[in-house]
Structures are given as structure tokens and as C-alpha cells.
Amino acid sequence: MQDDKTGGVPVRTVKSFLSKIPSVVTGTDIVQWLMKNLSIEDPVEAIHLGSLIAAQGYVFPISDHVLTMKDDGTFYRFQAPYFWPSNCWEPENTDYAIYLCKRTMQNKARLELADYEAENLARLQRAFARKWEFIFMQAEAQVKIDRKKDKTERKILDSQERAFWDVHRPVPGCVNTTEMDIRKCRRLKNPQKVKKSVYGVTEESQSQSPVHIPSQPIRKTTKEDIRKQITFLNAQIDRHCLKMSKVAESLIAYTEQYVEYDPLITPAEPSNPWISDDIALWDIEMSKEPSQQRVKRWGFSFDEILKDQVGRDQFLRFLESEFSSENLRFWLAVQDLKKQPLQDVARRVEEIWQEFLAPGAPSAINLDSHSYEITSQNVKDGGRYTFEDAQEHIYKLMKSDSYARFLRSNAYQDLLLAKKKPESEQGRRTSLEKFTRSVSTAKQGPTRTQRTEGCVGGRQEVAKGH
């Protein structure tokens, strides 16, 4: 397809407004080449074949990250042979971390990280905390080498490298074509004789030597056999298989992340109330002004901020500033519905429907047609789990969109930085120290200093202190 001597697809440089787009082809050119050289009469079949080629990363669009083929003027670019999947190069998480780190050092206007890439970078930085300096140095060295190249060549190489990671670390919601190992498929000699295994589809093992097995007549495949095979293969497709190394990495990362929140491993401050009589830690956790450790935990996952009452309040204020607080209020209302007495469930279901989902609702939420149709049917016979599908849709919407913006917002960053700023003025204390002191003095009565400060402020303050 790339060979010009044998009538390949013409690769050209397209002029656009104030710039040039080098080394591109159109989707129409690729589809027409497939129909002409492979004797395909149906354009739909040619588009499907082109999408299979694009899904493996041999051809990729330059406008988005969806690896499909379109029969229009969309610009595509051929992948460099170094990044071809046929070379059986299996990238590691360290390679991905170097790539994302390198992207943050380059032209931010052209190579700015997407939301899911920023989340992956933060996750990798926590996982590789001990050798992050080495990863940073590798990325810095690659950036220096790239800057010595021609601008046009560097632009092409950046797009090819990004397309490579679109195949191996795809955008959330896209199909990952690298989950099935091509080499394992080749070793599957007889796909008819397969059995269900813990690790997926494996060959039927022989328990005896072929010498002791009498030859069996070949039986023709029946419709029932085909149905069983289809059912089995559909079950295999729906299964979510993970490599043991990936599971171990996730478990280690989770353990390292929560080690400082385990009072049996990391001593609690000011003291562990479970092994002492001091309940100051519980009083601090009940306060409306959270500690830095508590605020940091909100960034671990969306469930962490929903479990914390103060975290929910902060998240709700952020949503109110974006005029989308109805999503969280609907989710909390549905959670509260599951705890209601049976006699109040029907009334509460109707209230939630009228407030969030009915036509002209004052706090209407954005649902897809499928979830809305299911919820509309469930409301007719309301129960505690009437809004289960709608709640799941809103949860995913907040987790993928609003929660990511909250972590990058000034409100959340200020909560983190407020605990790190040192107090310069003499006599000032952090909010945590003030709270601890107020708890202790409330039991012991006002101190001499407080009474003195009250006298300076006026008689009214003295009366309040006593």
C-alpha cells in the first residue's frame, strides 16, 4: 500500500490555513485502493477491512484517537515499521511513563495531556516513586534528541508514537486490540477441541499416549455443536482476563498507597484511639476542617471522596460553581432512598422523579435514552432500587468528568497547599492545632491567656469565656 512503484496509495503534503500537513492520505484513497487491489466490490467490506488494519495501528487518523477507517476526506498517516504490531514489541509501564513524562516537557499547545493520560501519569508516578528520577532523566534525554530533528520530521514522529500508544494504551471506551496475543493464537492448532480454563481457551490435553487410544470415526459437525461453540466463545469474549503480573502490580500499588492510613503499620497522630484512651484523633476526623492527609486521600479514587462527608460537601460546592450540582444531589437522594422504610419508599420515589427526571423537572439530570427508558418503567412499580440504572450512569459521568476537574481545580489544590504553608507570624497556629487546643480547653475550662485576651477585647468577651 505504501509502494509508489506498484501503484500504492499516494502520500502527499496538504496545505491548510497558515500551515502544512505532511505525509498524509485520505480515507477515500485507502478504501478505493483496497477495492481495486483486493477485488472487493462492496465498499462496506472495504471499510471494514480498513478498520481492522487501523485497529492494529498500521494506519491511524491524525485528527482523533479512534482507530477506525472512514470513507471520506479524513487524513490518515502510515505507521513507522518500528511500531508495527507484527514486530511483537510488548511495551511496559515504564515505557508509557517515559512517553507521558516526555509529553509534559514538549509543546503544550500541541501535545497537551488528555484527562485520562494525566490520571495515568499520576498513577504511574505513584507506582514508580522509587525510580521516577530515572524515568524523568530518560524522558529528558529523548526530548533533547527530538529537538535536534527537523520540525516536519518531529511532527510526524510525534503522531506515530502517539498512535502506537493509542493501540497499546487506548482511550477509555475504545477496544484494546492487543489483549489477544497473536503468538498464542498461532499455537492453537485445533480450535474445535477446546475446554474452559481459568486462564481462558486452552488446548485439550491428552492424558494417555496416542498408541493406547483407538481411532475414532470422524463425526460431522451438527447445528447443536455450532450453537454450543458460539455460546462458549461469547462467554469467553465477555470474560475480563488479567495477567497475574498486572494483578500483583495493582495490589502492591494499592498497599503502598494506603500504608500511611493503616494505624497498625503507621502510628496515628496524635495517638491511636483504639489502643489508648485519647480520642483526639476521632475529634479531628469529625471536624469540618479536614487534615492534609484526609484531603490527599480524596484524590485516590472517586469512592474516597463520596465516603467522606466533608469531601462530599467540598465536591458539592465545586459542582455548584459549575452549575451541575444536581448530579451529586440525585446520587445522594438515591442512596438515601435505599435506607428508607418500606412505607415511605413509594412517596420518596415520586419525589425524586419529579425533582430530577420528570418533564420540566427543576433539577433535571442528563440521562441517555436507554437508562431513561428503564427508569421510566421502574417508576410505575417503584422500589428501593428503581433508579439503579440512572444512578450508575450519573456515577460514571461524575467520575470521568466532574471528579477529574475537581482534582485539578483551585479549590482542591488550595485545600492541599493550605496545610503545607508554614506560619510565619509568632503565636499563630494551624487550624488543626487550634481545633485540638479548643477541644482540650473545652474540658479544662478557659486558660489564663484566654481570659487575658478576653479582657483586652472587652468585658463581653470575658463573660463569654467564663
Side-chain angles (χ1 to χ4, degrees), residues 94 97 121-136 253 256-257:
T94 52
L121 179 60
R123 191 179 299 111
L124 291 170
Q125 190 171 3
R126 292 193 297 267
F128 299 114
R130 296 182 179 179
K131 54 181 179 180
W132 188 254
E133 185 177 356
F134 169 75
I135 292 175
F136 185 84
E256 292 177 349
Q257 188 179 47

Side-chain angles (χ1 to χ4, degrees), residues 220-286:
K220 293 184 178 180
T221 304
T222 62
K223 292 183 178 179
E224 188 64 26
D225 295 335
I226 298 297
R227 291 193 186 97
K228 290 181 180 179
Q229 185 179 0
I230 292 174
T231 304
F232 170 69
L233 293 177
N234 286 333
Q236 292 296 324
I237 292 174
D238 294 336
R239 289 187 59 192
H240 183 64
C241 300
L242 290 175
K243 295 180 180 179
M244 186 58 65
S245 59
K246 302 295 182 183
V247 176
E249 288 179 4
S250 301
L251 183 59
I252 293 173
Y254 177 86
T255 306
E256 292 177 349
Q257 188 179 47
Y258 284 90
V259 66
E260 60 177 311
Y261 297 92
D262 190 340
L264 297 178
I265 300 176
T266 304
E269 295 181 359
S271 64
N272 190 343
W274 294 103
I275 58 178
S276 66
D277 295 332
D278 187 9
I279 61 173
L281 178 64
W282 288 344
D283 294 333
I284 293 172
E285 291 297 325
M286 291 174 60

Side-chain angles (χ1 to χ4, degrees), residues 53-72:
I53 297 174
Q56 297 294 331
Y58 292 98
V59 181
F60 61 91
I62 64 173
S63 57
D64 55 33
H65 305 281
V66 183
L67 301 177
T68 57
M69 183 61 62
K70 300 177 182 178
D71 188 9
D72 54 16

Side-chain angles (χ1 to χ4, degrees), residues 37-48:
N37 291 269
L38 300 181
S39 300
I40 300 175
E41 297 180 357
D42 189 2
V44 178
E45 183 179 353
I47 295 173
H48 175 67

Side-chain angles (χ1 to χ4, degrees), residues 106-308:
Q106 294 173 337
N107 187 358
K108 294 184 179 181
R110 183 167 55 89
L111 298 171
E112 186 177 2
L113 293 180
D115 290 342
Y116 77 96
E117 291 176 326
E119 294 175 4
N120 290 338
L121 179 60
R123 191 179 299 111
L124 291 170
Q125 190 171 3
R126 292 193 297 267
F128 299 114
R130 296 182 179 179
K131 54 181 179 180
W132 188 254
E133 185 177 356
F134 169 75
I135 292 175
F136 185 84
M137 291 172 60
Q138 289 285 329
E140 198 173 26
Q142 292 186 18
V143 170
K144 291 181 180 179
I145 295 174
D146 290 342
R147 286 174 179 170
K148 297 179 181 179
K149 298 177 182 178
D150 182 65
K151 184 178 180 181
T152 303
E153 181 185 2
R154 187 169 68 246
K155 188 175 181 180
I156 295 174
L157 290 176
D158 288 341
S159 66
Q160 290 173 338
E161 186 177 11
R162 189 163 185 172
F164 170 80
W165 289 111
D166 286 339
V167 175
H168 293 274
R169 299 291 189 276
V171 180
C174 294
V175 178
N176 190 348
T177 58
T178 61
E179 286 293 331
M180 179 64 73
D181 192 347
I182 299 176
R183 291 168 290 184
K184 292 181 181 179
C185 295
R186 291 175 185 169
R187 290 196 294 265
L188 191 60
K189 298 179 180 179
N190 192 352
Q192 299 295 335
K193 296 182 180 180
V194 294
K195 66 177 182 179
K196 194 171 184 179
S197 170
V198 178
Y199 303 103
V201 180
T202 59
E203 293 183 282
E204 184 72 33
S205 59
Q206 295 181 348
S207 58
Q208 298 178 351
S209 173
V211 178
H212 302 287
I213 300 176
S215 60
Q216 298 290 339
I218 299 176
R219 185 174 63 89
K220 293 184 178 180
T221 304
T222 62
K223 292 183 178 179
E224 188 64 26
D225 295 335
I226 298 297
R227 291 193 186 97
K228 290 181 180 179
Q229 185 179 0
I230 292 174
T231 304
F232 170 69
L233 293 177
N234 286 333
Q236 292 296 324
I237 292 174
D238 294 336
R239 289 187 59 192
H240 183 64
C241 300
L242 290 175
K243 295 180 180 179
M244 186 58 65
S245 59
K246 302 295 182 183
V247 176
E249 288 179 4
S250 301
L251 183 59
I252 293 173
Y254 177 86
T255 306
E256 292 177 349
Q257 188 179 47
Y258 284 90
V259 66
E260 60 177 311
Y261 297 92
D262 190 340
L264 297 178
I265 300 176
T266 304
E269 295 181 359
S271 64
N272 190 343
W274 294 103
I275 58 178
S276 66
D277 295 332
D278 187 9
I279 61 173
L281 178 64
W282 288 344
D283 294 333
I284 293 172
E285 291 297 325
M286 291 174 60
S287 66
K288 294 184 179 181
E289 188 173 359
S291 62
Q292 179 188 352
Q293 188 182 31
R294 189 172 171 185
V295 174
K296 181 183 176 182
R297 187 167 180 168
W298 298 347
F300 290 171
S301 67
F302 187 45
D303 292 326
E304 289 291 346
I305 196 171
L306 291 179
K307 289 189 297 185
D308 194 329

